[in-house]
Amino acid sequence: MTTIRSRLTIWYTVAMGVVIVAFGTALVIERRHPSFDELDQRLSLEAGVALGYITESHRVLGELTTLDSVPGRGGVGWTPMKVLATDVSGYLEGMRDPLIVVDSQGNLLYASAEARTLSYSALEAMVGLLRPRPGVQVTGTVKLEAVGAVRYLAAPLPDAGPNIAALLVATPTHAVTFEPRQLIRSMLVIAPLILLGSVGVGYWLAGRALQPIQDMMDELEAITDGRSLHRRLMVPRSGDELARLAIEVNGMIARLEQSFSGLRRFTADASHELKTPLMVVRAGVERALTNPGAPADSIEALDDTLNQINRMSELVETLLTLARADEGRTTLAVEEKDLGPLVAEAAETAGMLGEAREISVTASLPEHPVLLPVDSGRIRQLLLNLVTNAIKYTPEGGAVAVELEDTGEQVTIRVKDTGIGIAAGDLPHVFDRFWRADLSRDRTEERPGFGLGLAISRWIAEAHGGSIGVQSRPGRGSTFTITLPRAAAAPSGPS
């Protein structure tokens, strides 16, 4: 799952990578020019010495070139060629870097010892840089075969006579103290380590920055229903956006708590106030039913009225129970009981309810007593709700099974049926109040109800420190599972 923390870590790492690349590029560019400036100063110094010596030698000696014989093409015969005078070339042999001198036609007159160590093609390339003859000093970089990149300086020789035109001095760029290629290589080795470290640091920083949000999420997850609305989020002392968020959320929870409290009070008060009128109406209807002089058609109408009054009284009593439970004003009469007889009694009731529709009911109980501190009346109500639902939604000829299992640390009760089942989309809502599935839980005479039975069942299970869940598939029945821990259930609060 993608989280804000992981996204922040990724962006932090990307930003760090961009910064490293930008810094490295800027460093290479910034250091490259000073390094070449150092080479250019070195070449300018050597060229100046050579220029000065050649010019002065021409002023003193006059013509500085002589004829010399060199092997002809293919090694056949000898070819006369102009070369620099020995007196001058001998002095230039002491130059540190490769040096060449050419005449006005671009022919080579002299190559220093360093230049003669170069390959023929490299030497020709250097000579070609002096064609045409430079009018002023020119510096640049060129790549030579078997040598690599070299920095060169080409300068004219206007005062060395008509036969000497220009000279060129060059030096490889690897002589630079700060080599950009080496820097790039070092960065390629170091950059992954820096990025790896930035991932760890970014993840840690994101965790620190988002910890208040994680605390808020944990606290909000604990506020699962209307009974937890008294809790509030801790407001960070930073005074930043997170503090404002916590204040706003606390304000929203306070408003929800006020609304829920008002709704509970209304439900409890309305249910309590309806009990007395319903009792009076029921007493009047029962008295009219016992009147021997009442007409037969009136007796039937009164009987239907009494059934509806009883249903309404049951609804009012259920609503009053839930309202008191929400306010924590319901007490459990807890005492150690054997759950076996309670489960057997519920299975027997289910058998009687399903007898007319030929629904078979079975009970599976341990041989030993299953003692547990419970409110026997509430547990009986829970079991009756489940078995009644199982019979109600199981078609004719189906089966219902009630199981009691003691695992030592907890007790498990299961109510299984072969009924119509519940759709997967409806399962999360089966314990909601007044909720009934559209198809399987319609309010008909065949399946009457208010949709509060399972809500009451969940409250009873949770009041005992346990839980209730359901597994179901349409057309294959349902299984309701109640889990009760061995620890004694505490009373919910004063009545």
Side-chain angles (χ1 to χ4, degrees), residues 10 27 40 52 79 111 151 164 176 204 240 242 283-284 382 392 416 437-438 449:
I10 292 173
L27 183 62
D40 291 343
T79 302
R151 189 73 172 171
I164 300 177
V176 178
W204 179 76
D240 55 8
L242 294 180
L382 184 156
K392 186 186 302 183
K416 304 178 181 179
D438 294 338

Side-chain angles (χ1 to χ4, degrees), residues 281-295:
V281 173
R282 180 168 58 186
V285 172
E286 290 176 346
R287 189 164 47 249
L289 284 173
T290 57
N291 184 6

Side-chain angles (χ1 to χ4, degrees), residues 386 389 413-417 421-432 435 441 454 458 467-473 477-483:
L386 295 183
N389 274 352
I413 304 173
R414 296 184 183 87
V415 178
K416 304 178 181 179
D417 63 62
I422 306 171
D426 295 332
L427 286 176
H429 307 288
V430 295
F431 297 103
D432 294 346
W435 184 89
R441 292 173 177 264
L454 292 179
R458 181 174 65 176
S467 62
I468 183 171
V470 59
Q471 293 179 333
S472 182
R473 293 182 64 182
S478 305
T479 299
F480 286 84
T481 303
I482 308 160
T483 302

Side-chain angles (χ1 to χ4, degrees), residues 330-335 374-375 378 459-460 462-465 489-493:
T330 302
T331 301
L332 296 180
V334 176
E335 58 179 333
V374 296
D375 183 331
R378 293 298 185 184
W459 167 74
I460 294 173
E462 292 177 351
H464 285 80
S492 299

Side-chain angles (χ1 to χ4, degrees), residues 23 33 41 55 69 77 81 102 150 153 175 191 230 269 272 285 314-315 329 334 365 380 411-412 458 473 490:
F23 173 75
H33 291 291
Q41 292 175 7
T55 301
S69 297
M81 179 179 178
V102 298
V150 297
L153 184 149
H230 63 281
D269 294 344
H272 183 75
V285 172
E314 179 185 353
L315 172 61
R329 295 193 295 115
V334 176
L365 307 174
R380 182 180 292 108
V411 174
T412 303
R458 181 174 65 176
R473 293 182 64 182

Side-chain angles (χ1 to χ4, degrees), residues 5-6 8-14 16 192-206:
R5 185 176 188 179
S6 63
L8 285 176
T9 302
I10 292 173
W11 281 113
Y12 181 83
T13 304
V14 171
M16 179 63 71
L193 300 179
I194 297 177
L195 290 177
L196 185 62
S198 68
V199 170
V201 174
Y203 190 78
W204 179 76
L205 289 176

